[in-house]
Amino acid sequence: MKARIALAAAAVAAAVVGGGIMLSGPASAVETTLCDQYASTKVQGGEYIVQNNRWGTGAAQCIDVSDDGFTITQQDGVNSGGAPTAYPSLVWGCHYNNCTNNFSPIKASSTEFIGLGSKASLKYVSGGVWNASYDIWFDPTARKDGQNTGAELMVWANHSGGASPVGSKVGTVTTAGGTWDVWYGNTGWNVISYVRTSAASSVDFKVTDFYNDAVQRGYAQSSWYLTSIQAGFEPWSGGKGLGISGFAVTKGTSGSTPVVTTAAPTVPAATPTATTTTPPTTTAPSTGTGTGSATCTATYKVSQSWGSGFIGEVTVKNTGATTSKNWKVSWTWPASQKVVSSWNATSAQSGTKATATSLNYNGAVASNGTTQFGMQVDGASTTPKLSCSAA
């Protein structure tokens, strides 16, 4: 969504993917050159849009378009810092009311969202400052025009010359066949960037591989709508020769379960000025008993912290012989910590005493099975002792 607006911070672009059934029909023969600032053309019968999207410079940029990709043939702009010069890219969905065939925004909690992904092959050049990235956009409403205000989920398959995402590094995850550094910032909306620690010349993964992680960290919500999947390059300089081919959005029948969030987390309004990643701290499992043979343990870790708060994640394990009906985790904060919001559990707090109880969709945990919930907390990062009971 970067066209037609100017951002003060470094811009971004996110990614997704998954194997499965192609959403596009037979490719049509398309060969054209786009040089106008916001020039675009539809390919594969309107299933995708290719856009020049030169939004951060007045210098010339041209791309040669094919059925399923493009190559940057001219890129004269040079930005020494801050935002990139452009985001030439392929689009599935809507970009400022320029929409692909029959597209409607997709709610992140819907079954249609499961397995939705994309794949592409990428061609790189030596030198220059650029990234190769997907940009996946989410809005609290089913928006087709204007700037999205929910989350910008970026996946960086490669980068060169010191290009870095918005905000600060907050963690590392292993997903979608690789290891990714996680960055978070806020430019009026949440920007969550997944930067591959080793370059990839192709991508093929599901949106939920990354979006589920963003929800668990408190940066996104399952009530939001996916409005577009975009893939391309952000050049600060030296982008001539970068290319993408084989782009396709895919839909599968298997994969991650839908993201389900209740009591959606409230994220800090701006990027913390001193964000640090707290090494995972885990409490010793504490066991409780309920009625019948249901028992459980709860283990805790801090996944992220900043000056005035932190994100806590809890894994509940059924250690009993039968499937549980529900569970409850209790603990006492050592000081003035306060649960601001939680997901995948109903939380309550009185003074320093806090509880989290299962919801109707995650109370039933099979013997030796696990489920997770998370919370955003105001106050100094800490590791409370947990007590778990199940029925």
Side-chain angles (χ1 to χ4, degrees), residues 293-354:
S293 59
T295 59
C296 60
T297 63
T299 54
Y300 170 99
K301 70 177 182 180
V302 174
S303 65
Q304 180 204 348
S305 67
W306 53 93
S308 60
F310 62 97
I311 298 293
E313 297 177 357
V314 178
T315 298
V316 176
K317 181 176 182 179
N318 180 358
T319 56
T322 61
T323 299
S324 64
K325 296 180 181 178
N326 54 64
W327 48 263
K328 180 178 181 180
V329 177
S330 305
W331 66 94
T332 299
W333 296 115
S336 57
Q337 290 83 4
K338 182 179 179 181
V339 177
V340 177
S341 62
S342 62
W343 49 101
N344 294 336
T346 298
S347 62
Q349 184 169 341
S350 177
T352 59
K353 297 184 181 300

Side-chain angles (χ1 to χ4, degrees), residues 161-239:
S164 62
V166 166
S168 303
K169 180 181 173 181
V170 296
T172 302
V173 298
T174 300
T175 189
T179 300
W180 311 76
D181 290 333
V182 186
W183 289 62
Y184 169 75
N186 185 288
T187 58
W189 57 88
N190 291 336
V191 182
I192 314 100
S193 304
Y194 293 84
V195 182
R196 209 174 195 278
T197 56
S198 60
S201 59
S202 64
V203 289
D204 187 352
F205 43 84
K206 296 179 177 65
V207 179
T208 51
D209 289 340
F210 300 100
Y211 198 67
N212 284 358
D213 180 77
V215 169
Q216 290 174 1
R217 292 175 186 273
Y219 300 145
Q221 299 181 20
S222 63
S223 60
W224 292 349
Y225 291 82
L226 181 146
T227 63
S228 69
I229 296 173
Q230 307 183 26
F233 303 92
E234 290 184 323
W236 280 258
S237 64

Side-chain angles (χ1 to χ4, degrees), residues 1-82:
M1 296 290 173
K2 297 189 179 78
R4 303 175 177 85
I5 59 172
L7 300 182
V12 285
V16 290
V17 217
I21 304 165
M22 296 297 219
L23 296 180
S24 62
S28 58
V30 174
E31 287 191 12
T32 188
T33 298
L34 303 179
C35 291
D36 289 347
Q37 184 173 11
Y38 297 124
S40 67
T41 186
K42 291 187 175 181
V43 296
Q44 297 195 28
E47 293 296 331
Y48 306 121
I49 297 167
V50 182
Q51 57 182 7
N52 195 34
N53 200 7
R54 174 175 55 81
W55 65 273
T57 181
Q61 174 178 285
C62 295
I63 60 175
D64 279 358
V65 178
S66 61
D67 291 341
D68 59 357
F70 64 85
T71 299
I72 301 175
T73 55
Q74 182 177 3
Q75 195 270 308
D76 295 346
V78 176
N79 284 355
S80 57

Side-chain angles (χ1 to χ4, degrees), residues 276-291:
T276 58
T277 301
T278 302
T281 306
T282 304
T283 59
S286 77
T287 304
T289 55
T291 59

